[in-house]
Amino acid sequence: MSKLQNLGKVLLVALFTLFLSHCGSSPALSSISIAPAAGAATVSAVGQTVQYTAIGNYTGSKHPSYTTDVTNQVTWTSSNVSVATISATGLLTTVGSGTSTIVATMNSSGGGQVSANSDVTSTATTSSPVRT
């Protein structure tokens, strides 16, 4: 019986390997959603922070689609660093007044880059020191 059980295990592993080889590639990153959404972030003080998050949407023809948090995997950029800066973990910090576009970018296993953006508006004013 032992030889028969071992043969069964070998056949099971072989069938599983064959199944996986015909399964195709894993789902690829197809889009990114970021929050807060465009126009939703308004800041009013220099130094104020807002945490941004990025959700990756993965799709594939032979696998189920799914979403996952990719906040710490995307590259965050601010189009106007005199208004706001953003860290590698998505923490925005207000620097001055105006509007800036926050962009999250990530490479897709399907090829190319995928990105999403959101605008932040700052009404922060920097005050001049009072001279006596």
Side-chain angles (χ1 to χ4, degrees):
M1 261 315 204
S2 179
K3 287 183 181 183
L4 186 57
Q5 286 176 336
N6 285 340
L7 180 60
K9 289 179 184 178
V10 169
L11 285 174
L12 184 60
V13 169
L15 285 172
F16 186 69
T17 303
L18 182 64
F19 171 75
L20 288 178
S21 68
H22 290 291
C23 190
S25 62
S26 299
L29 179 67
S30 57
S31 65
I32 298 172
S33 304
I34 60 176
T42 302
V43 289
S44 59
V46 169
Q48 184 176 349
T49 60
V50 176
Q51 180 63 56
Y52 276 76
T53 57
I55 302 297
N57 303 300
Y58 290 82
T59 58
S61 60
K62 296 181 181 182
H63 293 278
S65 300
Y66 67 94
T67 60
T68 190
D69 188 328
V70 294
T71 300
N72 294 325
Q73 297 169 357
V74 298
T75 300
W76 293 100
T77 56
S78 171
S79 69
N80 190 345
V81 294
S82 65
V83 172
T85 59
I86 191 157
S87 73
T89 59
L91 185 64
L92 176 133
T93 303
T94 307
V95 179
S97 63
T99 301
S100 182
T101 300
I102 304 304
V103 181
T105 305
M106 187 172 165
N107 290 330
S108 173
S109 61
Q113 288 188 328
V114 177
S115 64
N117 60 27
S118 177
D119 295 328
V120 60
T121 301
S122 171
T123 58
T125 57
T126 54
S127 58
S128 301
V130 176
R131 296 187 184 170
T132 56

